[in-house]
Amino acid sequence: MSTLSFPRPPLADEVVALRPWRRADIPQKFAGFSDPLCQRFSWPSAERFTEAHVRRNLEDEERERLNGEALNFAVVDVAAREHVLGGAQLYDVDGARSCAAVGYWLAPHARGRGIATRTVRLLARWGFERLALARLELTCGPDNTASQRVAERCGFTREGMLRSHLPFQGVRRDTVMYGLLPGELD
Ligand SMILES: CC(C)(COP(=O)(O)OP(=O)(O)OC[C@H]1O[C@@H](n2cnc3c(N)ncnc32)[C@H](O)[C@@H]1OP(=O)(O)O)[C@@H](O)C(=O)NCCC(=O)NCCS
C-alpha cells in the first residue's frame, strides 16, 4: 500500500482522541508503557525496555507509515490532548488483501473505563470506511483476559488459537486470533 496519512480531522469521540506521537510525548510514553501489565503483554523483546527504545520506535513508526505498513497513534484525553492515556496502532496493513491488525495499550491510570474499547471502535470504523478494509485482525496472548474482553465488546469473533505463533520474550507464544468484518463493529 502507498504511504498512509493520519486521519484529518483526528479520530475522536467525546472521551478520547487519536493523534500522531510527538517527541514531547516520549517521557509519558515511556512511563505508561513501563507498567508491568504492558511489559507482560505488549513488549515482545527479551531486552529490558528503556526510553531509548521509545525514541527509536518513533523513527521506526514513521518509516512504517511512509511504507504504508502501519499508523501509530497516541491515545489522548479529548479535553487535554497533551495528556497521554496510551497508544494504539493499525499495523500489518496489507492493501492487496484489504486486511490490517489493531493493537493497543493503556497506562494504568487510564484502564477500567472503556478507553481501549472506544479506541478500537474509532480505528475499526475508520479502517473500514477510509482504507476499505475487508478484515481487521486483533491478536493477543491466551492469558490476556482484559484484551479479549475489549475484542468481544467491539464485536470481534474469536476465530482460533495460533499455536507457537511468535517469539515472545525469549520463548514462543500461542496467540488468540480475533477477526472483525465490515458491518460487525459493535
Ligand atoms: C488491554 C487493556 C488495554 C484494556 O484496558 P481497558 O479498556 O481499561 O479494559 P478494562 O480494564 O475496562 O477491562 C476490560 C474487561 O476485562 C476485564 N478485566 C480487566 N482486567 C482483568 C483481569 N486481570 N482478569 C480478568 N478480567 C479482566 C474487565 O473486567 C473488563 O470486563 P467487562 O468488559 O466485562 O467490563 C489494558 O488492560 C492494558 O493496557 N493492558 C496491557 C497492554 C495490553 O495487554 N495490550 C493489549 C495487547 S493484545
Side-chain angles (χ1 to χ4, degrees):
M1 189 180 262
S2 49
T3 292
L4 290 166
S5 300
F6 283 103
R8 289 193 190 280
L11 300 176
D13 64 11
E14 59 278 15
V15 176
V16 297
L18 308 185
R19 63 152 173 81
W21 286 105
R22 302 172 184 152
R23 296 202 76 75
D25 298 324
I26 288 173
Q28 286 194 82
K29 189 177 185 185
F30 175 63
F33 197 76
S34 294
D35 157 74
L37 214 55
C38 288
Q39 290 299 298
R40 176 173 163 200
F41 289 124
S42 295
W43 177 244
S45 170
E47 251 180 67
R48 191 172 64 84
F49 173 66
T50 68
E51 200 168 303
H53 288 109
V54 182
R55 280 195 296 275
R56 252 200 323 270
N57 280 352
L58 213 57
E59 291 158 23
D60 294 344
E61 290 169 1
E62 177 59 4
R63 211 170 15 253
E64 290 170 0
R65 185 185 77 76
L66 293 172
N67 290 340
E69 296 161 3
L71 274 178
N72 284 269
F73 298 86
V75 179
V76 297
D77 191 326
V78 79
R81 295 193 178 208
E82 304 316 307
H83 183 55
V84 173
L85 303 172
Q89 54 284 138
L90 279 177
Y91 66 102
D92 284 353
V93 179
D94 182 336
R97 289 171 53 236
S98 301
C99 288
V102 63
Y104 43 84
W105 61 270
L106 293 176
H109 64 80
R111 294 183 192 142
R113 45 194 168 105
I115 303 280
T117 302
R118 288 175 179 277
T119 300
V120 172
R121 285 186 180 137
L122 286 169
L123 286 174
R125 190 169 301 122
W126 184 75
F128 289 132
E129 285 174 4
R130 305 307 294 269
L131 300 183
L133 296 178
R135 171 180 169 81
L136 183 64
E137 297 184 344
L138 190 162
T139 58
C140 59
D143 52 346
N144 195 346
T145 312
S147 190
Q148 291 170 34
R149 289 290 306 141
V150 170
E152 284 154 13
R153 267 200 271 186
C154 291
F156 282 76
T157 297
R158 186 181 172 116
E159 296 177 334
M161 182 80 78
L162 309 180
R163 295 175 304 147
S164 192
H165 180 228
L166 42 79
F168 197 83
Q169 300 175 356
V171 294
R172 292 198 67 86
R173 194 202 73 181
D174 295 348
T175 289
V176 184
M177 169 63 78
Y178 284 89
L180 186 75
L181 307 186
E184 293 180 347
L185 182 63
D186 242 350

